[in-house]
Amino acid sequence: ENGVSIIHQELVLVPHLTVAENIFLNREPHKGSFVDYRTMFQDAQRFIDSLGLKIDAMEKVYRLTIAEQQIIEIVKAISFQSRIIVMDEPTSSLSDNEIDALFANIAVLKKQGIGIIYISHRLSELPRIADRVTILRDGQSVGTANVSEISNDEIVRRMVGREMTHYYTRTSHPAGGVALRVEHLTSPSVEDVSFEVRHGEILGFSGLVGAGRTEVMKAILGFEPVLAGAIFEEKKKVTIKNPAQAYALKI
């Protein structure tokens, strides 16, 4: 009611509805007792066009990329006539090209006089997107400065409360033998994945949303069928058809 909208990190769109239906969800224009779809689609397209977007208001949301869905959340906020938009970690699931597109649309909003509160832990984004930065530590503000007048090192120092001579510390710890080996794993969701993890070792999996990280683990745990490839626990080849079998192997 006061012109403030929040775009959460986890998108809250309804995939099987159209872009327009998502924008006007629970506040659809009506003609008598019926939804006025023509007006809804026209108004939604007008908001989309105002940002110079190439998105059809009648398109189903599930057909859009994650970046485009993020933009639809912005359009939804604009449709409320918001003057302040809070964005919580909007780039957490985006590729570099998608981030560029998002920042371009934020620049359009800025020219329209809309204020943006941009929440991020990616310091490299600040010079590109922010005019001022407020730094938080333990739930309290520890300073505000113009981005052009403060360095990333100073931001980090204020966040942690001390000088940072090293961003990361690592204690050497020799890994043991191979605990789990996966060879050419293929499931309905992933294809030809191979890796091994040793005792006393942390192996990280990274990738964008939809890259298949979770699906690899589901296949190993028996939530998804293994169509090809092999799994070795220690040196023994094992067949895991359900989570109970994985649990019995201490996975």
Side-chain angles (χ1 to χ4, degrees):
E1 291 177 357
N2 291 299
V4 181
S5 290
I6 299 178
I7 301 173
H8 300 278
Q9 183 174 353
E10 297 296 331
L11 301 178
V12 290
L13 300 174
V14 185
H16 66 276
L17 295 182
T18 65
V19 169
E21 288 169 321
N22 271 276
I23 292 172
F24 288 101
L25 190 64
N26 204 37
R27 54 195 182 97
E28 299 87 350
H30 283 76
K31 274 187 178 179
S33 301
F34 298 94
V35 174
D36 185 354
Y37 282 100
R38 182 175 181 180
T39 298
M40 183 170 65
F41 285 121
Q42 288 177 343
D43 289 348
Q45 196 66 58
R46 177 167 51 84
F47 286 123
I48 293 168
D49 294 343
S50 70
L51 286 175
L53 303 173
K54 304 296 182 183
I55 297 176
D56 187 350
M58 299 181 70
E59 185 66 89
K60 299 286 187 180
V61 162
Y62 73 84
R63 293 188 180 133
L64 303 180
T65 66
I66 295 296
E68 288 173 329
Q69 292 181 34
Q70 188 74 259
I71 297 299
I72 296 306
E73 290 278 20
I74 294 176
V75 174
K76 190 175 179 180
I78 295 172
S79 72
F80 281 100
Q81 304 300 314
S82 301
R83 304 311 302 163
I84 298 172
I85 300 178
V86 182
M87 300 183 182
D88 183 13
E89 300 275 7
T91 61
S92 60
S93 300
L94 304 185
S95 67
D96 289 342
N97 289 339
E98 291 171 331
I99 290 172
D100 290 340
L102 174 65
F103 285 178
N105 283 288
I106 290 177
V108 173
L109 298 179
K110 182 178 174 182
K111 289 179 181 178
Q112 295 175 357
I114 294 174
I116 308 288
I117 298 175
Y118 186 93
I119 301 168
S120 180
H121 65 273
R122 297 181 175 182
L123 300 187
S124 61
E125 294 179 350
L126 298 183
R128 296 181 60 191
I129 197 67
D131 298 300
R132 288 186 298 128
V133 57
T134 291
I135 305 152
L136 301 181
R137 183 173 73 242
D138 298 332
Q140 295 187 1
S141 172
V142 292
T144 296
N146 292 327
V147 170
S148 60
E149 298 171 355
I150 190 169
S151 66
N152 281 358
D153 287 342
E154 175 62 13
I155 291 174
V156 172
R157 188 191 69 77
R158 294 192 190 185
M159 281 196 297
V160 300
R162 59 183 171 82
E163 293 290 343
M164 293 290 289
T165 54
H166 300 286
Y167 279 168
Y168 307 101
T169 59
R170 172 170 291 179
T171 302
S172 178
H173 180 82
V178 175
L180 181 75
R181 186 168 88 252
V182 173
E183 294 183 350
H184 308 294
L185 179 71
T186 298
S187 75
S189 303
V190 297
E191 183 177 349
D192 195 21
V193 175
S194 299
F195 67 89
E196 62 181 33
V197 59
R198 297 175 177 273
H199 289 288
E201 177 183 64
I202 298 173
L203 174 66
F205 279 69
S206 66
L208 295 175
V209 172
R213 300 161 302 171
T214 302
E215 288 74 14
V216 169
M217 304 307 147
K218 281 187 172 182
I220 292 171
L221 287 167
F223 283 102
E224 287 196 3
V226 174
L227 304 179
I231 300 173
F232 296 85
E233 190 264 334
E234 298 290 345
K235 296 181 179 180
K236 179 183 177 183
K237 185 176 180 180
V238 295
T239 299
I240 301 172
K241 295 185 177 181
N242 56 63
Q245 291 177 336
Y247 182 76
L249 294 168
K250 299 184 178 181
I251 300 178

